[in-house]
Structures are given as C-alpha cells and as structure tokens.
Amino acid sequence: MPPMGEFDLIARYFARPGPTAGATVALGIGDDCAVLTPAPGHQWLVSTDMLVEGRHFLSTVSPRRLGHKALAVNLSDLAASGGSPRVCFLSLALPKVDEAFLAGFSEGLFALADAHGVVLAGGDTTAGPLNINITIMGEVPHGQALLRSGARVDDDLWVSGLLGDARLALEVFRGTVSLPGEAFDAVRQAMELPQPRVALGRALRGLASSAIDVSDGLAGDLGHILHRSQVGARLHLADLPRSSVLGGMPEDLQRLCLLTGGDDYELVFTAAAQDRSRVLEAAREAATPVYRIGRIEREPGLRVVDGEGRLLDLTLQSFDHFKS
Ligand code: ADP
Ligand code: MG
C-alpha cells in the first residue's frame, strides 16, 4: 500500500462522515475556510493552545489521552470565560504518518469533543516535529464573558475540584517521588485526562466577579486575577482541596504541588460573600465541587496563611516557559 498522504489522512481521521453543517457550522472541513454562523445576541470567545512534546506532555502518554488533553486545555480556557464551546480547529505537525497514533489521538479528541458538543471545523496538517495546536471558539451572551479583572475587595475566593495531583505525577515521572501503583494511576489520570470545568464556568455567568483556569499553578494564575483586578488576596493553605494521595505526602511537597503545580485545569474564581449560597447552587447544578479558599483584600500581593492563621514566608514560582 502506498504511504498515506495528507488529504487521505485528514479524510480518514479528522473529517467525519455525516452532516457537515449545523446551526453554528454552516461549512466545516473541506474548503478554504469554515463558515460559521453566530447565534443572535452572542459574542465569540476564541482561544488557542499549543502542546509541544517534552514541554506539555511526555512521550509516555497514550495517543488517546493526548487527543483528550489537547482539546481539554482549550476547553478549560473557554470554561474560565463562561463560554459554551462550539467549534475547534486542529493544526498538527507529525514526524510521520503513524496510523496507530492518529487513530488513538482522533478517538480521544472526538470523545471529548462530542461530550461538549464541539465540532472540528478545520485545521492544518504538516510534517515536522510532533506539535499540536487547537483553536477553540465558543459563545457567550453579549457582555457576559467572565474576566480576570472583576475581583472586588472582600470577595470570596473559590476553587473547583482538586489541586496538585498533576504535579505530583510529574514528580513521579521525574523520579523525585515514588508512589504505589494505584496511587500513581490516580495522579497520572489527573495529569493526562483533565476534565475541563465547562458546566461550572457557564453556571458562574453573572455570578462570579472574576475567573481564570489553573494551568500554570494556583499562585501564579491567581496572581493574574489580582494584577488585573488591582487587589490582593489571603489564601488559606489548609483549605486547598487535595486528593488523599497528595494529602499523604510531606508538607513541603504538598505546598509545592498545591500552590505552583500547574496542569490542574480547575477554575479559580471570586464572588461576593453575599452570593455564597448561589455559588454552591451553581456548583451543584454543574455537578462540580467547589471550595472557599480565601478572600480578596485591598493590600496588593498574595498572602498564604497556615491552619493557625500564621503568615507563611513563601517564594512562589509559577511555571514560565522561558524561565523554568
Ligand atoms: P489549504 O491548503 O487551502 O489551507 P488544506 O489542504 O490545508 O487547505 O486543508 C484542506 C481542508 O482540510 C481544510 O478545510 C482544512 O481546514 C482541513 N484540515 C486540514 N488539516 C486538518 C486537521 N488536522 N483537522 C481538521 N481539519 C483539517
Ligand atoms: Mg492549510
């Protein structure tokens, strides 16, 4: 059999049979441009994220999980903005046509896309070092996007889900920590199969005063909210939600994973203290656990306190591609 070419590859793994046009996507894969129709009264949210081998994922990840994660990190950005995901575009550089890889990758990607009603409406495919870029588009009612800039003094600070497991898994891969098989599988799943908090983000429209997704570590990403909102915050270390696996680790490793971990893909958000029960109701509606972890303060900067309310002296380093 002759080697598969670019167009056969797209046709086999990415252009799916069936109706090619829907309410949003008037025309998908196959022409020079996709044609999209926005819903009346809505704005587009657009975000793009690139995954590079060795930087964002290890060669040990299965193709299926990689396909999942490539889309999940993009959905997480949409979630943080309160958007309803609609359409994505996939730009792929592949060292060679590896059909086992393509089959697994596209399966993982489409499983998550289908779960969120996202249509793959185009992309680009080229030979080169493995590199995956997805652009995602979603909709939000006009003026209702959640932003980083809206936190107010005395707002509650909240986070969804669990923090730090993905970083713990990375430490196992790096050989600095060892875990028994079952515990390792659990934290590895957090690293390789993050669940974007799309339903929560949508439920927080008109309720959260600011939001961001945690991709580079809680301290750093919360720092973006504080900076853009021109406020500070007090964070209660003991209240940060963690798995029983991470909770069993030494205290300094827990701090590292919880505060600077990265790859969590949880939402950090602020809301007025009077809206506490509404936030809990929104979380229930979204079937996503949320935890109150601190408070917004006037004084700039981030202060982390321990269970006794003592200020911790921490030098926090969030992930930065050009520094780490
Ligand atoms: P052009 O040369 O006009 O840019 P391409 O030959 O790159 O078009 O792509 C042909 C069609 O296939 C386009 O509709 C494009 O959006 C789509 N496409 C290319 N690569 C992918 C991919 N990896 N996933 C989804 N659609 C893709
Ligand atoms: Mg092209």
Side-chain angles (χ1 to χ4, degrees):
M1 222 176 18
M4 180 178 271
E6 177 188 337
F7 298 106
D8 301 327
L9 180 164
I10 296 165
R12 172 138 352 146
Y13 294 105
F14 298 112
R16 296 204 291 182
T20 53
T24 305
V25 183
L27 181 64
I29 293 174
D31 215 303
D32 291 310
C33 288
V35 181
L36 308 180
T37 313
H42 285 65
Q43 289 175 306
W44 286 121
L45 300 173
V46 185
S47 183
T48 191
D49 252 318
M50 180 157 64
L51 270 70
V52 176
E53 185 169 1
R55 272 268 148 198
H56 303 91
F57 62 92
L58 305 171
S59 57
T60 47
V61 68
S62 74
R64 198 174 201 288
R65 287 186 171 195
L66 187 57
H68 171 103
K69 186 163 177 177
L71 182 58
V73 302
N74 281 277
L75 283 168
S76 182
D77 284 321
L78 261 195
S81 304
S84 301
R86 297 281 184 251
V87 182
C88 67
F89 297 85
L90 168 67
S91 294
L92 207 50
L94 298 167
K96 60 179 175 3
V97 179
D98 174 344
E99 292 207 49
F101 174 88
L102 284 162
F105 180 86
S106 59
E107 228 177 80
L109 185 137
F110 281 123
L112 187 65
D114 291 346
H116 289 276
V118 177
V119 176
L120 178 62
D124 198 24
T125 307
T126 171
L130 183 57
N131 195 324
I132 303 154
N133 177 249
I134 292 184
T135 299
I136 194 151
M137 297 179 65
E139 288 176 323
V140 70
H142 206 283
Q144 284 192 36
L146 300 177
L147 306 178
R148 299 176 177 184
S149 52
R152 298 280 172 270
V153 174
D154 290 334
D155 277 358
D156 289 329
L157 191 55
W158 299 82
V159 72
S160 65
L162 302 173
L163 296 169
D165 277 353
R167 177 56 183 270
L168 184 57
L170 182 62
E171 292 302 324
V172 176
F173 277 110
R174 285 175 171 169
T176 65
V177 175
S178 74
L179 285 177
E182 227 169 87
F184 176 55
D185 288 345
V187 295
R188 182 176 189 176
Q189 186 157 326
M191 179 169 92
E192 294 180 347
L193 284 175
Q195 300 299 321
R197 302 305 194 180
V198 175
L200 179 64
R202 219 166 13 207
L204 290 172
R205 280 180 197 159
L207 181 54
S209 51
S210 70
I212 190 170
D213 69 317
V214 186
S215 52
D216 297 331
L218 174 65
D221 287 324
L222 173 56
H224 295 307
I225 286 187
L226 302 184
H227 180 73
R228 295 293 293 270
S229 302
Q230 297 187 289
V231 292
R234 179 167 302 256
L235 193 63
H236 297 275
L237 186 61
D239 294 338
L240 298 183
R242 67 204 78 179
S243 67
S244 55
V245 176
L246 182 58
M249 296 288 119
E251 192 59 37
D252 49 344
L253 179 60
Q254 287 193 45
R255 279 183 200 177
L256 174 86
C257 293
L258 290 168
L259 293 169
T260 70
D263 259 7
D264 292 308
Y265 303 106
E266 295 296 347
L267 297 188
V268 172
F269 59 97
T270 57
Q274 72 201 39
D275 287 332
R276 233 167 247 181
S277 57
R278 286 180 67 205
V279 169
L280 292 171
E281 185 49 43
R284 244 190 316 275
E285 192 187 302
T288 308
V290 297
Y291 305 90
R292 204 145 47 77
I293 57 171
R295 175 173 286 266
I296 297 296
E297 297 179 336
R298 190 172 308 277
E299 189 190 342
L302 176 61
R303 291 158 290 284
V304 182
V305 298
D306 68 11
E308 277 79 53
R310 279 187 307 246
L311 204 57
L312 298 173
D313 181 22
L314 298 172
T315 318
L316 299 169
Q317 183 78 64
S318 77
F319 190 78
D320 181 318
H321 284 287
F322 294 103
K323 290 183 186 162
S324 305

